Amino acid sequence: GAGVSQSPSNKVTEKGKDVELRCDPISGHTALYWYRQSLGQGLEFLIYFQGNSAPDKSGLPSDRFSAERTGGSVSTLTIQRTQQEDSAVYLCASSFIAGGPGTQYFGPGTRLTVL
Amino acid sequence: GENVEQHPSTLSVQEGDSAVIKCTYSDSASNYFPWYKQELGKRPQLIIDIRSNVGEKKDQRIAVTLNKTAKHFSLHITETQPEDSAVYFCAAGTQGGSEKLVFGKGTKLTVNP
């Protein structure tokens, strides 16, 4: 079936503008994750959704970052008042959790450039 | 919280040689340890994983070992090929917790022909 999809694939914005990044997880996957990957760096956890539970927001770097997941499926990551240090690839992943951590399937990412 | 350390950050080997990447974790409750491969410009993809009820798992040229007592796990790639060149990430997760994974910072493996 279809994998995790993200849109847009690239986003260039001006400092101070708000951006919205979208993630469509694999159908039936109960968990959804957002990560940030700066150039040549590792995967920085941002936020995690699991079913109807309250999201784990412990990785969000500031209150300019927020995310929501509607209907247990599509998720949107919003960055308000973007800064140049927000430039990175934002990766979404989803997994099916049944009794333990499941394989995370990653989307292709959104490359965000803040000028 | 969990902390995962990964070494080395870069590794260069000759084609046909073996490559070993090591990770340590801090949370003794962690019981799931996947490895992801990320080729340049592409998304991370799972290549192998191990759960804490086994000490070793092998899939063709790739194997992972786990030492729960020492809280470390390793990725072994034998008979390396140029297409193995990529960044490899280890991660640790916990069943029954938030189910999130904590990733290491990655190892850039270069296999020289």
Side-chain angles (χ1 to χ4, degrees), chain A:
Chain A
V4 178
S5 61
Q6 292 185 245
S7 60
S9 55
N10 282 283
K11 177 70 176 180
V12 181
T13 190
E14 294 179 346
K15 178 181 174 181
K17 300 284 188 182
D18 297 352
V19 295
E20 285 189 352
L21 311 180
R22 177 187 169 106
C23 172
D24 284 84
I26 293 172
S27 177
H29 279 192
T30 56
L32 187 148
Y33 311 78
W34 283 98
Y35 297 91
R36 179 168 69 176
Q37 187 172 35
S38 300
L39 187 62
Q41 299 299 309
L43 297 164
E44 177 188 4
F45 167 77
L46 298 177
I47 189 169
Y48 156 72
F49 297 88
Q50 164 59 359
N52 295 321
S53 302
D56 179 345
K57 304 178 182 180
S58 59
L60 294 178
S62 78
D63 58 8
R64 296 187 296 105
F65 289 72
S66 63
E68 62 178 20
R69 188 180 186 191
T70 54
S73 179
V74 172
S75 177
T76 302
L77 176 69
T78 301
I79 308 174
Q80 296 179 309
R81 306 181 301 283
T82 53
Q83 303 295 313
Q84 289 183 331
E85 59 263 30
D86 299 335
S87 296
V89 175
Y90 289 81
L91 289 162
C92 172
S94 71
S95 70
F96 178 71
I97 293 177
T103 299
Q104 292 190 18
Y105 295 87
F106 284 83
T110 293
R111 182 176 297 279
L112 175 65
T113 303
V114 182
L115 302 177

Side-chain angles (χ1 to χ4, degrees), chain B residues 65-80:
Chain B
T65 59
L66 171 65
N67 183 327
K68 286 189 63 180
T69 303
K71 289 190 283 193
H72 67 69
F73 55 111
S74 301
L75 178 71
H76 305 254
I77 306 174
T78 58
E79 301 172 22
T80 53

Side-chain angles (χ1 to χ4, degrees), chain B residues 81-97:
Chain B
Q81 301 168 3
E83 52 265 39
D84 294 330
S85 296
V87 178
Y88 291 81
F89 294 97
C90 64
T94 306
Q95 178 177 351

Side-chain angles (χ1 to χ4, degrees), chain B residues 12-26:
Chain B
S12 182
V13 299
Q14 288 299 121
E15 183 177 0
D17 287 351
S18 295
V20 180
I21 303 170
K22 299 182 179 181
C23 289
T24 61
Y25 61 99
S26 60

